């Protein structure tokens, strides 16, 4: 691999030559020499440099985008070759949407680490759209998303069903109910996730299914913030049962099934379209297929 590409990406990611040199355990003049050599190789200037900042030129943006792909593929190639000679080990980069990532993935990772201690997982949490973009940019080995996500550039496979329920505050109005016509909640303030979230998609699909148009909608970017807000009496929401297991058990929130029919959606894993995966990825995918290590649902 051309080390100049690695140095170039480090300079861009760190924002200056000094921090890049520290990251790469190089001297700053050595970093400058690599950048100059790369610029000579491509025949144009890639960075605008001053004492205060480093910025990509138009050509630099093209090189940076492809350099990230090249470095990701190189790392993947080494891992695949290494797998031929060793037991499952190495880095496993996972991107996950919030519900699965915050409430199910920790249990799965603990189960995997107990059995495969040489695998080193790292996790990035984002909404469904953000996770898919991570896979497309080779920034994660595998992504886990919610709902009916589609992208012809990626391999997508559903592995588990998620049940969504309406959560309301314990204020006496609905405590005696287990089911409720969704139309009865139309005048409530609905607290929803941001656009691009699988939970937001499920909520909007539910509104459309029952022809309900809430008058008041508040948008938050955190499931935990939504739960705290419902508990405080701010409004009602639709969340995965996985996300409210503790609140249901403790009785701090009340669960309702809309019109007697829980809203169902799928959890899916996504990867690049390739027949080759590291052993770490294959093991993780098998755990997802078997749903091994998942917490027990309430």
């Amino acid at each position: 691999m051309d080390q100049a590409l690695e140095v170039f990406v480090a300079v861009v990611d760190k924002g200056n030559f000094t921090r890049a040199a520290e990251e790469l355990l190089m001297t700053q003049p050595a970093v400058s020499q690599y950048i100059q050599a790369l610029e000579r190789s491509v025949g144009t200037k890639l960075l605008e440099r001053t004492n205060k900042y480093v910025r990509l030129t138009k050509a630099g943006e093209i090189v940076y985008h492809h350099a990230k792909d090249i470095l990701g593929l190189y790392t993947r190639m080494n891992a695949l070759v290494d797998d031929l000679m060793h037991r499952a080990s190495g880095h496993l980069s996972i991107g996950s949407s919030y519900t699965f990532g915050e409430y199910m993935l920790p249990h799965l990772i603990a189960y995997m680490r107990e059995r495969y201690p040489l695998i080193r997982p790292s996790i990035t949490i984002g909404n469904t759209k953000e996770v898919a973009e991570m896979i497309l940019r080779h920034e994660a080995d595998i992504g886990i998303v919610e709902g009916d996500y589609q992208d012809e550039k990626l391999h997508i496979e559903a592995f588990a069903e998620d049940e969504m329920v309406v959560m309301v505050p314990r204020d006496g109005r609905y405590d005696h109910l287990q089911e409720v016509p969704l139309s009865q909640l139309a005048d409530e303030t609905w607290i929803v996730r941001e656009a691009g979230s699988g939970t937001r998609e499920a909520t909007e699909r539910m509104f459309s299914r029952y022809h309900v148009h809430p008058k008041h909608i508040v948008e938050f970017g955190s499931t935990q913030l939504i739960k705290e807000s419902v508990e405080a009496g701010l409004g009602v929401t639709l969340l995965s049962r996985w996300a409210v297991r503790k609140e249901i058990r403790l009785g701090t929130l009340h669960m309702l099934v809309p019109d007697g029919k829980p809203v169902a959606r799928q959890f899916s894993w996504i990867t690049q379209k390739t027949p080759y995966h590291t052993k770490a990825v294959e093991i993780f995918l098998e755990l997802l297929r078997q749903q091994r290590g998942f917490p027990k649902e309430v």
Side-chain angles (χ1 to χ4, degrees), residues 2-40 46-47 49 54:
D2 188 351
Q3 192 170 6
L5 290 179
E6 184 178 5
V7 173
F8 175 68
V9 169
V11 169
V12 176
D13 288 345
K14 295 299 179 181
N16 65 49
F17 282 60
T18 301
R19 286 197 292 268
E22 293 172 352
E23 172 78 12
L24 297 168
L25 302 178
M26 291 182 176
T27 64
Q28 188 169 332
V31 170
S32 297
Q33 289 173 9
Y34 274 112
I35 298 300
Q36 291 166 8
L38 183 60
E39 289 178 330
R40 287 195 300 270
L46 302 177
L47 296 172
R49 287 160 276 189
V54 173

Side-chain angles (χ1 to χ4, degrees), residues 54 61 73 108 192 198 200 237:
V54 173
E61 291 177 1
L73 289 170
L108 181 62
V192 301
R200 174 65 172 270
T237 192

